[in-house]
């Protein structure tokens, strides 16, 4: 049984102009190898500029990897059609207020992925949209609303609904929790955990807050300057960090009043 | 019916309706809009309600001043020219040609320019370079000069004048729409739609087009204003509408030698060009501000 997602020696570098005619390769991350099983959560942590976002965006298909392979259920990602890819990997963008089209109703926003990637007819699509809205805790009323009428947490719920509507195996979340304030953040965290319990979805998420990482993830991967410096089960890494960088990351989120 | 009517409305207002409701609150812009509608309809319908044909010559009443000036005649409200033709009728015919021509140019150039600009922005590689950089070279030539060059090739006539102006304004419009679409492409909701596997046409229709309203109004307004000025300029130089057609620019040119005898003949067409441009700009600016407020 091949693992759900397997990444081997994935590399991404950007070419930057350094002189008049010369270019320089700037490595965003890599080579990176890891794998994830169904229903698991992998947290990608690291300081800014360590290539976390680029890695997640490559798996989502926004960026193209320079070298290396991504396998989904044993099949290389390049061999999958864009529909198959959408049905197995979906991404939640960082800021839902800019990732939802302001001129579209919530219903149309959720309809687009279904229409493009499945063979469902209009009534089946409508039923699926209602079902997904219920899953993320929104009323069917919201179908006719425009994104600017929603609060920030409702926008997050719609963004999660858009990712969940195709029942994907893996959801990629790129720092989605940073823009929310603390109480609403837990609402979204609990929603994500509830979805995981119900649907058995795997998450790969980028986060800064180590408490949340501890709470949500099964595995932690620490990136530093594009390389994996530490990888393992959450409990092991949080209790016995081996690397200097990991210790710093854990320290920054240990307020004094807890001691 | 809504279960939870938090917004206290029967129907949810679409962004376009909201923009329209803001626009309705801007009285000056609404007045400009009505003036524009009145100008266009009256200039189209003028042959049916004007008492004088713009071509009837009347040797009894030549070079009459407007009716409020000394020696004026109420039969000719804005006076007559050196052949006794009614100035108001000629003005409306001129408006018909200038305004109609500018609207036609704006419509066709906007359509073609949007298609080519979108093609350049949404494709990559050779196709994009050809569409985009080849036309950049044409931007080096001022549009009026390229219109003049084209009209000397085609030969002077009203239709050729419209074609020449349209072609000379096209590169600017393509450039502007290309930049607008290019900026829109980097937005996150476009990336999300691309990831869903949307085709280019779907991306353009649902993702880009509804969100580029404000810059599009600006470039359309500029296109319309430029085409009015260029039609009038080519008409003034004698390359545009040929007799017996009259057009605002050629009206001014025809009356130039009479400027000391009857300055009215030059004043009215000039005022008409000025007013049309001011009205259109006030309308477009009001609309643009309504869009900006509506999108906030």
């Amino acid at each position: 049984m091949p693992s759900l997602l397997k990444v081997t020696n994935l590399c991404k570098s950007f070419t930057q102009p350094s002189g008049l005619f010369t270019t320089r390769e700037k490595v965003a991350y890599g080579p990176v190898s890891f794998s994830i099983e169904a229903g698991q959560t992998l947290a990608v942590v690291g300081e800014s500029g360590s290539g976390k976002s680029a890695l997640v965006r490559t798996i989502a298909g926004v960026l193209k990897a320079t070298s290396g392979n991504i396998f989904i259920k044993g099949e290389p990602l390049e061999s999958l059609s864009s529909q198959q890819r959408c049905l197995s990997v979906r991404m939640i963008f960082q800021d839902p207020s800019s990732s939802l089209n302001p001129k579209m109703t919530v219903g149309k926003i959720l309809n687009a992925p279904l229409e493009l990637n499945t063979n469902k007819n209009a009534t089946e699509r409508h039923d699926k949209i209602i079902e997904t809205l219920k899953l993320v805790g929104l009323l069917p009323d919201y179908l006719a609303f425009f994104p600017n009428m929603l609060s920030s947490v409702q926008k997050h719920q719609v963004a999660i609904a858009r990712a969940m509507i195709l029942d994907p195996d893996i959801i990629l979340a790129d720092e989605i929790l940073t823009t929310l304030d603390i109480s609403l953040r837990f609402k979204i965290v609990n929603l994500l955990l509830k979805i995981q319990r119900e649907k058995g979805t795997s998450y790969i998420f980028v986060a800064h807050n180590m408490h949340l990482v501890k709470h949500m993830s099964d595995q932690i991967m620490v990136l530093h300057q594009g390389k994996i410096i530490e990888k393992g089960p959450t409990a092991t890494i949080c209790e016995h960090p081996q690397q200097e960088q990991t210790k710093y990351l854990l320290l920054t989120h240990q307020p004094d009043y807890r001691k | 019916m809504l279960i939870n009517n938090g917004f206290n409305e029967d129907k949810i207002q679409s962004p376009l309706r909201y923009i329209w409701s803001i626009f309705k609150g801007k009285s000056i812009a609404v007045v400009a809009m009505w003036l524009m509608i009145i100008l266009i309809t009256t200039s189209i319908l003028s042959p049916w309600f004007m008492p004088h044909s713009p071509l009837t010559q009347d040797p009894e009443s030549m070079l009459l001043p407007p009716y409020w000036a000394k020696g004026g005649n109420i039969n000719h409200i804005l006076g007559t020219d050196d052949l006794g033709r009614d100035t108001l009728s000629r003005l409306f015919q001129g408006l018909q040609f200038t305004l109609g021509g500018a609207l036609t140019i704006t419509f066709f150039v906007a359509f073609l320019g949007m298609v080519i600009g979108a093609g350049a922005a949404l494709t990559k590689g050779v196709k994009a370079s050809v569409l985009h950089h080849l036309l950049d070279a044409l931007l080096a030539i001022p549009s009026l000069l390229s219109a003049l060059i084209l009209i000397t090739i085609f030969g002077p006539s009203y239709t050729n004048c419209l074609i020449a102006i349209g072609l000379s304004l096209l590169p600017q419009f393509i450039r502007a729409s290309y930049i607008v679409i290019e900026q829109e492409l980097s937005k996150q909701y476009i990336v999300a739609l691309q990831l869903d596997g949307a085709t280019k046409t779907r991306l353009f229709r649902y993702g880009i087009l509804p969100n580029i309203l404000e810059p599009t109004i600006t470039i359309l307004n500029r296109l319309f204003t430029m085409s009015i000025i260029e039609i009038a300029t080519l008409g003034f130089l004698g390359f545009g509408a040929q007799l017996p057609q009259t057009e605002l620019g050629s009206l001014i040119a025809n009356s130039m030698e009479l400027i000391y005898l009857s300055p009215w003949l030059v004043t009215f067409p000039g005022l008409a060009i000025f007013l049309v441009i001011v009205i259109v700009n006030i309308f477009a600016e009001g609309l643009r501000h309504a869009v900006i407020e509506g999108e906030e």
Side-chain angles (χ1 to χ4, degrees), chain A residues 47 222-224 229 243-250:
Chain A
E47 81 270 350
V222 187
L223 281 183
H224 178 59
I229 52 168
Q243 300 284 329
E244 202 80 333
Q245 297 296 332
T246 322
K247 282 175 194 161
Y248 286 144
L249 278 172
L250 285 166

Side-chain angles (χ1 to χ4, degrees), chain A residues 60-62 82 86 90 93-95 98-104 112-113 115-117 139 141 144-146 149 162, chain B residues 1-4 7 12-15 19 188-189 191-193 195-199 202 206-207 210-211 213 294-295:
Chain A
V62 183
S82 104
C86 280
R90 298 281 288 165
F93 285 85
Q94 189 168 4
D95 183 11
S98 66
S99 72
L100 301 176
N101 189 341
K103 295 290 165 68
M104 290 284 189
E115 201 180 335
L116 290 164
N117 295 303
L139 288 171
D141 288 9
F145 285 10
F146 288 88
M149 302 165 81
R162 178 169 64 182
Chain B
M1 202 53 217
L2 302 178
I3 301 168
N4 171 8
F7 290 98
I12 285 155
Q13 221 174 14
S14 80
I19 288 167
Q188 288 226 308
Y189 47 82
V191 178
L193 206 54
L195 269 186
D196 286 345
T199 54
R202 193 192 166 97
Y206 293 103
N211 290 301
L213 219 54
E295 283 179 351

Side-chain angles (χ1 to χ4, degrees), chain A residues 13-27:
Chain A
S13 52
F14 296 101
T15 45
Q16 285 184 328
S18 59
L20 195 53
F21 297 109
T22 52
T23 53
R24 187 160 49 108
E25 291 260 304
K26 191 178 178 304
V27 179

